[in-house]
Amino acid sequence: MLEQALLDLEHTPTDTDLVDTAFRALHTIKGSGAMFGFDAVAAFTHHVETAFDLVRKGKVTASRELIAVTLTAKDHMRLLIERPEAADAEEGAGILRALSVIVEGSPASPSAEPDVTTWRIQFRLARDAMAMGTNPLLLLDDLRGLGIATVTAQSDAVPPLEELVPTDCHLGWDVVLSTAQPRAAIEDVFMFVIDDMDLKITQIESYQCAGDTRTRHRSRCRAAA
Amino acid sequence: MAIFSIISKTKSSASIRQMVKLTLSQSGYQVFQASDGAEGLAKARELSVNLVVTDLNLPVMNGLGLIRELRKLPAYKGVPIIFLTTESDPAVKLEAKSAGATGWITKPFQQEQLIGVVRKMIGP
């Protein structure tokens, strides 16, 4: 996914959808790496993600040089995941130095992206929400539509199978959302259920994850690269 | 996807009834209609739909009564029910939610608002 987005970006460097795709892929790799203890991947990818965040915000141009270095960085990330013993730390440092030089010397693109805020959204619906017609997956889709979201299900309240009522909603969700939309847009997602649910929306400084280890981030990490 | 719309044929509701039918049909939904709460309940027992849109002001059986009865039907467990209301009073919305409604649209509304709420309920 990341590689294809970068290759397409070479031909259309002002395509904001491609920039978003590349950023999301880097974000996923970083977060998944952190969650599963691939600290070297997370740390390395953080710098590449930061560079693409600047591209998203219009502060850096998606130049051929930036794309070329990012493709090299992608190969290094894959090595760190699949064969960390073969990854050369000096080579990684060299890639990041080249990235830094390109980012610092790059002119801003004409149309700047609006500021992005990261929110942590923790919510639990009423037990009978699904029986009353609310589909939690559509709420999550609405949140994803606002920006870049990482969703983690909270299954601590799911009862044993023999006690489970299939139409009851036992799950909670922990969503980290980076969006240019105001907080009110997040609240609007829950407009029909807000009076009957637990909802907490907190602005956070950087990516944080709820840490549900049953989320399949490893495969997403590889697929994103 | 199929949507069941229960809106009366009275002079004050006829245009909304027609607008709802037209808007949903043009957006690709199969639309079934009834014009009062009792007819709505009888038809509901025969239909399999993905969403119900009902006015609260209905003859014979009002919208609140219809919603309560629909929620007693096993086939309507989990089916979203949207009600149309002129009231911005939170008490009306609370009463409808307590009866089993999922969401609402405040009259008057534009076609885009109707489609927006429908998609919020059952997806694009």
Side-chain angles (χ1 to χ4, degrees):
Chain A
M1 185 166 77
L2 173 63
E3 182 169 8
Q4 191 56 55
L6 292 171
L7 291 173
D8 290 342
L9 207 51
E10 277 186 316
H11 300 291
T12 51
T14 57
D15 189 326
T16 53
D17 286 341
L18 290 173
V19 172
D20 281 344
T21 300
F23 176 81
R24 277 198 298 273
L26 291 164
H27 191 67
T28 299
I29 295 167
K30 185 188 82 169
S32 304
M35 187 181 301
F36 286 97
F38 290 90
D39 296 333
V41 173
F44 181 86
T45 309
H46 170 73
H47 297 286
V48 188
E49 181 204 37
T50 300
F52 263 80
D53 194 30
L54 293 172
V55 176
R56 278 197 324 155
K57 290 175 177 170
K59 294 177 182 172
V60 166
T61 308
S63 64
R64 284 189 175 275
E65 292 77 17
L66 176 66
I67 293 167
V69 164
T70 309
L71 282 166
T72 307
K74 191 258 327 170
D75 292 336
H76 189 73
M77 283 181 243
R78 185 178 281 275
L79 202 57
L80 285 170
I81 295 166
E82 294 181 350
R83 288 191 298 131
E85 70 283 356
D88 184 342
E90 264 310 304
E91 184 181 331
I95 294 169
L96 294 182
R97 277 194 297 272
L99 187 68
S100 178
V101 166
I102 292 167
V103 166
E104 283 164 21
S106 173
S109 60
S111 58
E113 290 285 335
D115 283 338
V116 170
T117 306
T118 301
W119 303 91
R120 185 172 185 185
I121 304 150
Q122 297 161 283
F123 70 95
R124 280 187 190 271
L125 300 172
R127 182 67 57 85
D128 67 351
M130 295 195 301
M132 294 296 118
T134 297
N135 185 339
L137 298 181
L138 294 180
L139 297 176
L140 294 170
D141 283 346
D142 282 350
L143 288 176
R144 288 193 187 94
L146 296 178
I148 297 171
T150 304
V151 178
T152 307
Q154 304 298 316
S155 54
D156 51 291
V158 176
L161 191 60
E162 58 270 18
E163 296 170 29
L164 188 72
V165 174
T167 52
D168 280 357
C169 186
H170 296 287
L171 292 175
W173 285 272
D174 196 325
V175 180
V176 175
L177 172 69
S178 294
T179 177
Q181 300 294 321
R183 182 191 170 113
I186 299 172
E187 291 167 345
D188 277 350
V189 168
F190 303 101
M191 62 182 291
F192 294 137
V193 289
I194 202 162
D195 293 330
D196 307 311
M197 67 184 293
D198 295 327
L199 174 64
K200 189 175 169 187
I201 304 173
T202 316
Q203 185 174 342
I204 59 177
E205 288 301 316
S206 60
Y207 179 89
Q208 294 172 19
C209 184
D212 181 348
T213 56
R214 274 173 281 183
T215 308
R216 297 198 197 93
H217 281 299
R218 184 187 296 267
S219 59
R220 287 173 62 196
C221 194
R222 285 191 177 137
Chain B
M1 288 209 188
I3 298 178
F4 187 22
S5 164
I6 308 103
I7 302 171
S8 78
K9 291 179 182 174
T10 60
K11 204 172 176 183
S12 58
S13 298
S15 59
I16 289 184
R17 177 185 165 89
Q18 193 175 10
M19 186 264 248
V20 168
K21 160 91 177 170
L22 201 61
T23 303
L24 297 177
S25 301
Q26 287 176 341
S27 299
Y29 299 103
Q30 184 179 17
V31 182
F32 300 97
Q33 289 184 293
S35 51
D36 66 63
E39 183 193 1
L41 184 60
K43 268 190 171 175
R45 292 192 171 102
E46 308 299 322
L47 293 174
S48 174
V49 296
N50 303 96
L51 175 73
V52 175
V53 177
T54 180
D55 204 352
L56 287 186
N57 296 321
L58 294 172
V60 187
M61 179 195 294
N62 68 27
L64 285 180
L66 172 62
I67 293 169
R68 285 192 195 98
E69 292 303 313
L70 288 176
R71 284 299 181 211
K72 293 177 186 173
L73 302 176
Y76 284 80
K77 198 163 195 178
V79 175
I81 302 175
I82 299 172
F83 65 94
L84 310 181
T85 178
T86 55
E87 303 286 336
S88 56
D89 184 354
V92 171
K93 292 172 185 166
L94 188 64
E95 194 175 6
K97 288 286 299 284
S98 297
T102 317
W104 59 85
I105 305 174
T106 306
K107 296 183 277 188
F109 54 88
Q110 303 295 319
Q111 290 178 302
E112 296 76 25
Q113 287 172 277
L114 174 62
I115 293 299
V117 173
V118 167
R119 285 186 178 148
K120 194 170 177 60
M121 292 287 145
I122 58 176

